[in-house]
Amino acid sequence: MPIIERVAWDNAGPEDIAYRFPKLTLKYGSQVIVKENQWAVFFRDGKAYDVFGPGRHTITSNNIPLLTGALKALGIIGDIFDCEVVFVSNSQFRANFGGKAYSAPSGDIKYQAEIGFYGYMLYKVEDPKLFVVEFFGNRGASTSRDVENYIRGFINERIISEFGRHDIFEVVKNADVTTDKVALKISDEAARVGLKVIDCVFEGINIPEEARRFASGLGAQAMMMQYMKETAGELKGAEGGGAAAAGLGAGVGLTMPFLMAQQLQQAQTAQAQQVVICPNCGAKNPVGMKFCGQCGSSLAPPAKIKCPKCGAENPAGMKFCGQCGSPLTQTAETTCPNCGAKNPPGMKFCGNCGAKLG
C-alpha cells in the first residue's frame, strides 16, 4: 500500500455525518487536516484511539500516544503503520422518524392500542470516539448513509419500546407528558452512543377512536361485553367441529373469554354486594330497595331538621338541638298586616311589600 502523505475530508456535504478512510498506510510525518466542524478519529481493529480536533496535524508518536501504544503492543515498530481514520462532523443533523407502536396492556382485558407516531429529532455528535466505536466498530457502518439508517432505526426502536411501557389511559389523557417521557428516554439512550439530542419533536400521535373510547372507562366495559358477545358467537358456530372447536378441545381459545366472563361476574357480584342496612332491624337489603325485606321499615334516609340557631342537623322528631340545646320547634309563619303575605319565622319586614312585621 502506498504511504499516504496527506489525509483530509475535503468533499464533506451538509448531510454527511462521517467518512471512513479504510486501510491507510501512514507514517510519522504524514499530515492530517481537520476542518472547523470536524474531528478525526484514529481507528484500528474495531477500536478508536486518538482524536484530532480542527487544524493541520503532523503525525508524531507524541500526538497519537494511544495508537502508538497499541502498535507497540502488537510488535509493530517503525515509522510506518496501518490504520483507519474516521472523520466525524460536529454539525447539527435532523433525523425524521415515524411508525407504529403498541401501548402497554390496559385494564381487565389487557387491551393494547396501535399508536401511530411521526416527528423529527435534532442531534449532533458529542463524543466522537464513542460514536466511532459504536457505529463503525460495533455496527460495522462504512458511510454516512449507514449511520443515518442506524440512527433512524435507533430512534424508532426506542420510541416503540417506550410506548410499550405506557398504557392507553396514560397516552390518551397525558399525550404531551407521555411523549416528553419518551423523548427524555431517547436522549438518555443517545448519550450512550456518543450523540446529543438537541430536540425531539412529536409532530403527530395517531390514537384510534376505539382506544379513546376504551380509555374513557365506560368504553372499556362496552368493549369487553362486545368482545364476549362476538367470541361466544364464534364458539357456538364452531361446536360442530371447526378451528375454534379444536381450540376448545385443546383447552385453547376458551381461556380469554372465560376469564373475561369471570371478571364480569366478579364485577356484578361486587355490585350486588352493595347493600343498605335497615335502621330498624339491621337486616341487609340490596341497593335500590325502599322498604326492608325483613321488617318492612322504610329504608329511606332519616329526615333531619336544621337548628335555627347554630345550623346543626338533628334527626327528625328531636325537640332540642344536640349541638347548642336550642329548641327545634318551628314557630308559626308571620302574616303581613299590610298585604297578608306569609313570611318565614323571625322576619322583621315583609318580603312582599316591605311593611314592618309586628
Side-chain angles (χ1 to χ4, degrees):
M1 295 292 291
I3 298 174
I4 304 299
E5 300 286 347
R6 176 183 179 276
V7 181
W9 187 19
D10 293 323
N11 56 349
E15 302 298 326
D16 294 327
I17 188 172
Y19 188 82
R20 181 180 194 174
F21 287 90
K23 300 179 181 179
L24 292 177
T25 299
L26 301 175
K27 67 176 184 179
Y28 294 121
S30 296
Q31 299 286 308
V32 178
I33 301 172
V34 185
K35 296 183 178 180
E36 284 297 321
N37 66 331
Q38 298 176 354
W39 290 287
V41 181
F42 288 83
F43 186 68
R44 181 187 170 103
D45 301 328
K47 295 181 180 180
Y49 292 97
D50 305 286
V51 180
F52 282 174
R56 179 184 290 271
H57 305 272
T58 300
I59 299 176
T60 70
S61 58
N62 292 328
N63 57 12
I64 53 170
L66 299 180
L67 179 60
T68 301
L71 293 173
K72 290 182 178 178
L74 294 172
I76 302 174
I77 307 296
D79 295 338
I80 300 173
F81 56 90
D82 294 332
C83 71
E84 299 181 34
V85 177
V86 180
F87 281 82
V88 179
S89 172
N90 61 18
S91 299
Q92 177 176 303
F93 294 92
R94 168 175 172 148
N96 296 326
F97 59 78
K100 294 182 178 180
Y102 279 96
S103 64
S106 305
D108 295 333
I109 63 173
K110 306 300 180 186
Y111 176 76
Q112 288 183 282
E114 187 180 62
I115 304 167
F117 63 87
Y118 64 93
Y120 64 89
M121 186 178 85
L122 300 178
Y123 69 97
K124 62 185 299 183
V125 176
E126 186 173 51
D127 186 334
K129 192 172 179 179
L130 182 58
F131 171 82
V132 169
V133 171
E134 182 64 30
F135 288 92
F136 291 88
N138 298 337
R139 300 175 187 270
S142 297
T143 65
S144 287
R145 182 59 58 88
D146 292 338
V147 175
E148 291 167 8
N149 290 337
Y150 276 125
I151 290 177
R152 189 175 296 108
F154 168 86
I155 299 170
N156 282 336
E157 286 178 7
R158 268 61 184 179
I159 293 174
I160 292 171
S161 175
E162 284 307 305
F163 269 124
R165 300 176 187 273
H166 302 274
D167 65 26
I168 194 60
F169 296 97
E170 188 174 356
V171 175
V172 171
K173 295 178 181 178
N174 302 296
D176 291 341
V177 175
T178 303
T179 53
D180 287 345
K181 290 180 180 178
V182 173
L184 182 61
K185 187 66 177 178
I186 291 175
S187 181
D188 292 342
E189 292 284 332
R192 299 178 184 176
V193 294
L195 300 177
K196 178 182 180 181
V197 176
I198 299 170
D199 199 2
C200 184
V201 179
F202 281 83
E203 295 180 300
I205 298 292
N206 182 18
I207 302 173
E209 180 59 28
E210 176 191 75
R212 295 185 183 278
R213 287 190 285 111
F214 179 83
S216 69
L218 182 62
Q221 186 175 3
M223 289 177 64
M224 184 169 68
M225 293 296 294
Q226 180 64 24
Y227 182 86
M228 291 177 60
K229 181 179 178 181
E230 293 175 355
T231 306
E234 292 176 359
L235 293 175
K236 183 178 180 180
E239 285 177 352
L248 281 173
V252 180
L254 181 61
T255 305
M256 188 62 182
F258 174 75
L259 290 176
M260 293 170 62
Q262 188 178 46
Q263 291 165 354
L264 180 61
Q265 184 178 11
Q266 291 172 350
Q268 292 173 338
T269 301
Q271 185 176 8
Q273 288 175 347
Q274 296 179 2
V275 297
V276 177
I277 305 299
C278 175
N280 182 48
C281 66
K284 296 180 180 178
N285 294 270
V287 173
M289 298 293 288
K290 295 183 178 180
F291 299 94
C292 176
Q294 179 70 22
C295 66
S297 299
S298 175
L299 297 177
K304 295 183 178 180
I305 184 172
K306 181 176 291 185
C307 174
K309 184 177 181 180
C310 67
E313 290 187 339
N314 295 268
M318 299 293 287
K319 294 182 179 180
F320 298 94
C321 176
Q323 181 69 23
C324 66
S326 301
L328 296 176
T329 303
Q330 297 291 322
T331 56
E333 295 177 330
T334 303
T335 302
C336 175
N338 181 48
C339 64
K342 295 183 179 300
N343 292 269
M347 299 292 288
K348 294 182 179 181
F349 296 93
C350 178
N352 185 52
C353 67
K356 187 174 182 180
L357 301 175

